[in-house]
Amino acid sequence: LRLSVSDSRKLATLQIGELQNLASVMIRGIQALETAQILCCPKLSTLDMQCTGNGLGPDRVLELQGLDSISSQLTSLNLSQSGVRAGQLAQLLNGSAPSLIHLDLSHSKLLSTQFFDKSLESSQVFPELTSMNIANCVGFADLDEFVRFLGRFPRLASLNVRRCPFTRPNPASFAERMEAFRPEVELHF
């Protein structure tokens, strides 16, 4: 069972619950959304909230409710350009770390190695994650820090880092460094 909600200009609150066979929730492009509650969906594995809750100005953020009940079984999480706040993003990442396979946090203004170091336990790794998109995340500025950060993802096979500062001004040098450190990772930049 899949649920898709998109292109609603006025929707501010969304509640999803008691759907035992719901496997995928896609809430895309709802910029005015302020609260999303997802409860009692034990088979939910995909959560996609791209471009949702991000159109309310700098002081308004999307509040997610029910994170504890959904994060532990997530395998795919897309919060690209979403308005999810830092504390809730940290909670989602910590809860879903053991099971997550695909992670898209592109265009996030929150991400940096400091965010991960502060938000996650020092020993926290993502053992199943194979695909990650952090394109346009300007918080990752230092290549050495980024290489250390990648240690949290031992099975990473595909990485999108388009327009991240550490890939410039010398993309060839970045590619060589990554080839030496993680030759198994397919780069997109």
Side-chain angles (χ1 to χ4, degrees):
L1 183 64
R2 293 179 173 86
L3 175 65
S4 178
V5 184
S6 61
D7 300 326
S8 175
R9 295 184 178 181
K10 296 182 179 180
L11 185 65
T13 302
L14 180 65
Q15 184 177 37
I16 302 167
E18 304 294 339
L19 294 173
Q20 299 298 312
N21 293 315
L22 184 65
S24 174
V25 169
M26 180 184 291
I27 308 169
R28 278 197 168 190
I30 305 180
Q31 294 184 318
L33 193 67
E34 299 177 22
T35 304
Q37 184 181 67
I38 304 174
L39 299 171
C40 300
C41 300
K43 294 186 179 180
L44 185 66
S45 61
T46 298
L47 179 61
D48 184 333
M49 303 191 73
Q50 182 171 326
C51 298
T52 288
N54 64 353
L56 304 175
D59 299 324
R60 303 288 295 278
V61 293
L62 174 64
E63 180 182 358
L64 296 179
Q65 299 176 356
L67 297 182
D68 290 339
S69 69
I70 65 168
S71 62
S72 62
Q73 70 263 15
L74 286 178
T75 60
S76 180
L77 178 62
N78 183 354
L79 296 176
S80 174
Q81 302 183 70
S82 77
V84 175
R85 53 195 169 102
Q88 293 199 310
L89 175 57
Q91 186 179 350
L92 262 176
L93 292 175
N94 276 304
S96 63
S99 59
L100 208 59
I101 295 173
H102 172 73
L103 177 62
D104 189 336
L105 296 173
S106 56
H107 301 270
S108 174
K109 296 179 181 179
L110 300 173
L111 290 192
S112 64
T113 44
Q114 291 79 12
F115 169 82
F116 278 91
D117 288 345
K118 181 179 179 180
S119 303
L120 305 180
E121 295 291 333
S122 59
S123 60
Q124 179 70 281
V125 297
F126 294 72
E128 302 299 323
L129 194 104
T130 59
S131 172
M132 181 165 61
N133 183 356
I134 56 168
N136 288 276
C137 290
V138 297
F140 292 104
D142 184 270
L143 180 55
D144 290 333
E145 285 190 350
F146 181 72
V147 167
R148 177 173 59 83
F149 157 75
L150 286 183
R152 294 184 181 272
F153 310 95
R155 296 187 63 184
L156 190 64
S158 177
L159 176 64
N160 187 336
V161 288
R162 287 188 177 99
R163 296 180 184 171
C164 288
F166 55 78
T167 66
R168 303 188 298 265
N170 191 340
S173 176
F174 165 70
E176 289 174 3
R177 178 78 182 274
M178 287 298 297
E179 176 67 21
F181 178 66
R182 296 290 293 272
E184 75 281 9
V185 176
E186 179 183 359
L187 294 174
H188 304 274
F189 66 97

